[in-house]
Each structure stands twice: as structure tokens, then as C-alpha cells.
Amino acid sequence: MPEAILEMKNVTKSFGKRRSVRVLDHADFALEQNRITALMGVSGSGKSTLARLLLMLDTCDEGEILYRGRPVNMAKRRESLAFHRRVQYISQRPESFFDPMYRLRSSVMEAARIHRLEPAKASDRLSQLLEQVKINEAVLDRYPYQVSGGEIQRVALCRALLPEPDVLILDECTSMLDVSVQAQILNLLRDLQKEWNLTYLFIAHDIEVVRWFTDRAVLLSEGKIREMNLHNADGSLFGCG
Amino acid sequence: MIRYIIKRAASAVPVLLGISVIAFALGLLTPGDPARMALDRDGMSEITQEMLDAKREELGLNDPAPVQYGRWLWRVMHGDFGTSYSDHVSVGGELLRRLPVTLQLTFCSVLLVIVFGISGGILAAAHAGKTLDNILKVLTNLMLSFPSFWMAILLVIVFAENLKILPTSGAGSVRHLILPSAALASVNIAMTQRLMRSSMLTEFGKQYVLVANAKGIRRWQVLFAHAFPNAVIPVVTMIGNYIGGILGGSFIIENVFSLPGIGSYALAAIHARDYPVIQGYVLVTGTTFVAVSLLVDLVCAGINPRMRLGGKML
């Protein structure tokens, strides 16, 4: 069985007054190393909340998040910084993914500055990544509103891959793109995953995309996470394996 | 950026011309004969028709309105706003003498709004839903509920009458400006704080803030390097409008605190139907407002690349 790189154990998360809305209810979930795991669920089921918890951007009411088998102490700057370097995030809204006040280059290189990557090395890696995602370097001198959704998603990929992460959390990252661009980005993501040995959490709605793109899928429903069988003979959507 | 400045400055010219036309029309359309008023001012006890005709010719009142406007505009551009009907003093000189008081009052009020409004808004947003946010919410509600003249009276009672730490009226030092500027700023501090808070919370909800957090940037850096520059743009615009509001509405506070600014001068002129003064006041406040708007737009363009570049693709 593949090793778990990022996992949540017995996690509970609620919102609202008196924590009446329970999004996760003693949920267990593990992202297996070098695999693409899909997270599915209806709108409002808590997929993005789960992503935020895995990214350590929100705290669990109960339970814990483990990275490579041990909890991350976010109070320790060095530890939290190391975690944020290894676990990166790409969101669903390309138009608001980058700060509109900054040129794309500045936003992309910010990650390198924070994680104290050697400038020359970071620059070389960026050039390599740009070549891989097929983006002209001149695009980085533009502001976010001056480039298309597909270009933004490619730049976002460069931004996420620059600090050499292990895990990418892709929160419906292709849902706002048209079908042809979506296919290009997914192919690119797959190539990058193989080349850099990445682990993906692919949050999505489209079962066909999930079947084609991922190795494994889980379903978040009523606060619980269940394994899905994507290859049921009858093609049923949420058959549990 | 230079192209934007030229474009924006050029767009201000028709507005300034519009203000000048309105100010000129004010003198032209109001009741009373300027020739008679001028002769009265010269101390003529018995004014004959010949004298009136001669004076009209001298003042150019027989010329068509556009010619009169052109001549008036030329004089105004050279600082000659005419003479007050009431005290026979040069309007331009008197406005120039009083303008610094109003500008000092405006500057102090805006400073208070920037310091307390913006910082309060950031604090409230950073502690949204917590005790500090609730305290600030109650405070802003109170500040919004009190009209500025009421706040002025309250401040005088507390700080001048009871505590005796600040003067009740007059001008001449920074101490004289504290109470009037606080009274003038209170409502705007509350409004700015609320706008800043909601603007910051809007930015907190955007993806780029989430991404900045996910990058591992420190919370205060996310706040000041990312959320703040985006959130402050509508606040800067509002403060610009507020400056215009002070220039046009400071007369109440100037009267309460007996400040010799242009507001109190204009109020006295309205009572006395002193049209040259009112014309001068309209021109000065209008022009200052246009200049401030221009400055605000340039500041916003400096902050916001989309505004500077006009949303064009490179």
C-alpha cells in the first residue's frame, strides 16, 4: 500500500453559531504519495473546507493533520514555512488567483523569496517550468487581468511548483476553463505529476474527468469521507469500494 | 502614468470652466444692479441716470454676457475677484487671508480620518466578530448618530468648559484646531472605518489572500502587502469626496468655534447677499474640490495598475 504523505485523523469541523453546521464529522482521510486522489461531493459538502484544513489555513475542532506521519506545529515559523513549501494550492478562480496589484512575476517570485530559495536557482527553475507549461516569459510582466484564464492557470502552476512541493491541492482548478483549455491543463498536470513525482488532491465535480485523470477517488458526504469505486461495471457514480 | 496624468488633468478643464460659468451666472442672474451697488460703495448719495449709464459702460455691463464672462474670467485668473458689497474689501485678498484657516482645519480633519478611520477599519477587520470589532462597531454607531455641530458642542463642554485643556474658540495654534477638526471628522472617521472594514473583509475572502496564506506569508504581511493596497482604493476615493465636503460644509463648525475661515465668510455673505464674495467662494471651493479629485485619482492610479493602464492589454 502506498505511503500516506498528508492525512487527517478523526477530524471534526463545524461552523455557525454554537457550531451547529458540522462539515466534517470525525473524518479520516489520507493522500497517498505520488498518486492523484480525487475528492468529490455535492456543492456545500465541505470540499474546500477540507482543502483549507489540509493546507493548515484553518484549525480542526477535533482531530489532527499529519504530514509524513507527524503533526505540524504551525506555531513554529520554521515548521509552518517548511510545510507551506511542500504543500501547495491552486484554486478554481483564475481571475482572482493573483493579487491584482502586482505583476505576475512578482507574485510568482514571492514564494521563492518567502522560502528563501537562492535567486539564481529559483530563476532557472522558473524558466524551466515556464518552458514546460508552454508560457512565454513576457507573460510574467503583465498584470493578472491582462492574461487569459488558461494562461493564468499555467502561471499558477509555475507559482505552485517553484518551491519544489510534494503535494498540490487542486481545488476545482479547471472548472472555470473551457473544455479544450481544460484538457490541455489536465494533460500538463499529469505530465508534471509523473516528472516531479507529485501527489495531487484533485477536487472536482465531473465524474468523467475524475475517472480519466485520477488514480483514486473519495466522496465527502454528510461530514464523512468514503472511498469510491470509479470503475464499477455499471458505471454508478458513487459506488463505495 | 504621465499620459494618464495629462488625460486626467485635461478632463478637469471643462469641469473648471463649468464651475466658473455657474459662479459668473450667479452674479448675472441675481437681483440688484451692480452699477448702482458700485456707486453706493463709492459713497454717491444721489445717483442719477447719467451716472448709472456711465458706470455701466465703465464696468462693461452693456456688453453681451459672453464678453462680460470672458473679461470676468480673465480678472479672476489674475486673482481679482471683485470687491465685497458689504465691507468694500477685495474679495480675493479676504479669501486668501481666510483660506489657510479652512485648509488647516481640512488638513487636521483628514489626518484624523486617515489615522483613526483606516487603522480602526483594519483592526476591526483583523478581529472580525471578536470583542474589539464589536467595541469599534458600537463606537462608530455612536459617532454616526451625532451630527457634527452636536459633537462640537459636546467637545467644547467636555474639553474646554469642564477639563479646560483646550480653547473654546479662535485660531492661531494647533490647539485651536483640535476640537473643530475632531468635531468635523467624527462622522467621517466612523464612515471610513466601516468602509475600510468591509473592504478589507471583501479582500480577505478573495482567492489571492488564500493563496498568499498558503504560500506561508506571515499574517501581517498578507494584511498589509496584499489585502490593504486593494482594500484602500475605495477608501481613498471616499476621503477625497470628504475633503470636498469639508470645504463646502465647514461653515457650521467655523461658526461654532469662531474660526475665521472661508466657510464663515461665505455664510456672512449669504446673509448680506454679497454676490462677489459668494462667487469667489464658489470658485475657490469648486476649484479646490476639482484639484483634490484630480489628486485622489492620481493616488488611486498610483496604487491601482488597472486604473493607470486603463484596463488595456499590453
Side-chain angles (χ1 to χ4, degrees):
Chain A
M1 189 177 165
E3 187 191 339
I5 189 164
L6 187 61
E7 54 189 315
M8 56 167 49
K9 279 194 172 165
N10 201 28
V11 166
T12 297
K13 181 72 185 173
S14 306
F15 292 103
K17 280 187 177 171
R18 296 176 193 168
R19 301 199 175 275
S20 54
V21 183
R22 185 165 281 196
V23 177
L24 289 170
D25 185 9
H26 301 284
D28 292 304
F29 169 63
L31 265 181
E32 293 162 359
Q33 195 161 5
N34 302 342
R35 293 189 79 192
I36 304 176
T37 304
L39 173 65
M40 301 192 76
V42 294
S43 295
S45 58
K47 301 186 295 295
S48 294
T49 302
L50 188 142
R52 289 173 65 90
L53 290 172
L54 286 176
L55 284 159
M56 299 279 194
L57 297 178
D58 207 344
T59 50
C60 314
D61 300 338
E62 282 177 55
E64 58 181 352
I65 307 290
L66 306 174
Y67 175 70
R68 292 192 183 277
R70 65 184 198 90
V72 183
N73 183 353
M74 295 307 280
K76 286 186 179 168
R77 177 69 182 154
R78 187 185 286 183
E79 214 167 309
S80 74
L81 206 56
F83 174 81
H84 284 307
R85 181 175 173 183
R86 296 300 175 199
V87 182
Q88 290 288 326
Y89 173 72
I90 297 179
S91 77
Q92 58 185 317
R93 294 190 175 275
E95 76 282 359
S96 68
F97 191 77
F98 290 98
D99 188 335
M101 295 292 172
Y102 295 96
R103 288 183 196 274
L104 290 169
R105 184 183 299 279
S106 177
S107 289
V108 170
M109 291 306 282
E110 189 180 34
R113 281 197 303 277
I114 294 157
H115 298 294
R116 294 183 184 160
L117 305 184
E118 202 183 304
K121 199 179 155 197
S123 199
D124 285 350
R125 184 169 163 85
L126 181 60
S127 301
Q128 189 189 349
L129 286 167
L130 286 169
E131 203 173 301
Q132 270 189 301
V133 301
K134 297 181 180 67
I135 281 278
N136 191 320
E137 193 155 355
V139 169
L140 296 185
D141 295 322
R142 296 182 185 174
Y143 287 96
Y145 71 92
Q146 293 176 313
V147 295
S148 68
E151 283 175 316
I152 277 272
Q153 260 338 11
R154 287 166 196 267
V155 177
L157 258 174
C158 292
R159 203 272 318 145
L161 294 172
L162 188 63
E164 300 170 356
D166 300 324
V167 179
L168 278 192
I169 294 178
L170 308 163
D171 188 358
E172 298 185 41
C173 68
T174 56
S175 62
M176 306 290 277
L177 304 173
D178 59 53
V179 179
S180 63
V181 183
Q182 197 175 16
Q184 287 172 23
I185 297 287
L186 289 174
N187 278 320
L188 180 62
L189 279 167
R190 181 169 264 185
D191 293 344
L192 290 166
Q193 191 260 337
K194 281 180 185 152
E195 189 175 340
W196 302 89
N197 292 326
L198 294 164
T199 304
Y200 290 165
L201 174 64
F202 184 71
I203 302 172
H205 275 117
D206 189 335
I207 186 72
E208 292 309 322
V209 171
V210 167
R211 274 202 182 111
W212 176 76
F213 184 65
T214 65
D215 305 312
R216 171 191 166 226
V218 293
L219 171 71
L220 175 59
S221 172
E222 294 171 352
K224 300 283 186 194
I225 298 168
R226 298 185 196 98
E227 204 75 23
M228 285 170 65
N229 187 350
L230 285 172
H231 305 290
N232 272 358
D234 61 356
S236 63
L237 202 61
F238 296 137
C240 293
Chain B
M1 185 69 181
I2 291 167
R3 191 184 294 172
Y4 178 79
I5 294 170
I6 293 168
K7 210 171 116 184
R8 191 58 194 83
S11 73
V13 174
V15 181
L16 286 171
L17 279 174
I19 292 168
S20 71
V21 169
I22 291 167
F24 174 74
L26 197 71
L28 203 69
L29 301 174
T30 46
D33 184 352
R36 187 175 288 281
M37 287 175 185
L39 287 170
D40 276 344
R41 188 187 62 207
D42 293 343
M44 299 289 175
S45 50
E46 276 187 42
I47 301 166
T48 63
Q49 188 59 43
E50 288 76 25
M51 289 162 78
L52 272 174
D53 290 343
K55 198 68 183 175
R56 281 201 187 102
E57 196 58 37
E58 184 195 325
L59 294 173
L61 298 173
N62 294 327
D63 294 332
V67 176
Q68 287 187 51
Y69 167 70
R71 200 165 39 229
W72 174 82
L73 191 64
W74 182 255
R75 283 206 319 267
V76 162
M77 282 164 72
H78 289 80
D80 180 7
F81 288 81
T83 308
S84 162
Y85 293 160
S86 331
D87 52 15
H88 314 309
V89 171
S90 157
V91 174
E94 191 61 14
L95 283 172
L96 206 64
R97 193 178 69 78
R98 287 168 173 266
L99 194 60
V101 176
T102 303
L103 289 181
Q104 281 169 10
L105 181 64
T106 308
F107 177 78
C108 289
S109 301
V110 172
L111 199 67
L112 290 175
V113 169
I114 290 171
V115 171
F116 293 106
I118 292 181
S119 59
I122 294 171
L123 272 175
H127 297 86
K130 294 178 185 164
T131 312
L132 182 63
D133 182 32
N134 291 330
I135 292 170
L136 288 169
K137 219 177 270 178
V138 172
L139 265 176
T140 52
N141 274 336
L142 281 172
M143 287 160 92
L144 283 169
S145 312
F146 298 149
S148 59
F149 73 88
W150 195 91
M151 184 62 88
I153 295 165
L154 186 77
L155 290 172
V156 167
I157 292 169
V158 175
F159 293 98
E161 301 288 342
N162 291 336
L163 298 173
K164 297 185 191 308
I165 51 174
L166 289 167
T168 51
S169 59
S173 71
V174 177
R175 291 181 72 237
H176 285 95
L177 288 169
I178 295 173
L179 291 184
S181 50
L184 204 53
S186 67
V187 170
N188 293 285
I189 289 173
M191 280 162 59
T192 305
Q193 193 170 304
R194 286 195 161 194
L195 182 64
M196 191 72 217
R197 179 188 180 274
S198 70
S199 199
M200 286 293 278
L201 289 178
T202 305
E203 295 305 319
F204 286 169
K206 291 193 176 161
Q207 294 278 319
Y208 72 85
V209 170
L210 184 67
V211 171
N213 283 315
K215 281 180 193 172
I217 304 173
R218 287 176 195 274
R219 192 164 177 251
W220 65 266
Q221 277 179 315
V222 175
L223 203 75
F224 289 104
H226 291 283
F228 176 72
N230 284 285
V232 83
I233 294 166
V235 178
V236 170
T237 310
M238 199 194 81
I239 291 174
N241 292 335
Y242 161 59
I243 294 170
I246 294 179
L247 288 166
S250 65
F251 56 85
I252 297 173
I253 295 297
E254 285 183 11
N255 268 283
V256 171
F257 289 97
S258 305
L259 283 170
I262 58 167
S264 53
Y265 186 41
L267 193 65
I270 291 166
H271 285 307
R273 291 187 157 204
D274 196 343
Y275 294 109
V277 174
I278 299 169
Q279 276 181 327
Y281 175 75
V282 170
L283 259 181
V284 167
T285 53
T287 307
T288 314
F289 185 63
V290 171
V292 169
S293 296
L294 181 64
L295 191 71
V296 165
D297 279 359
L298 296 182
V299 170
C300 287
I303 305 170
N304 187 358
R306 192 161 200 161
M307 209 169 151
R308 188 168 62 237
L309 301 171
K312 283 180 193 162
M313 298 286 282
L314 287 176

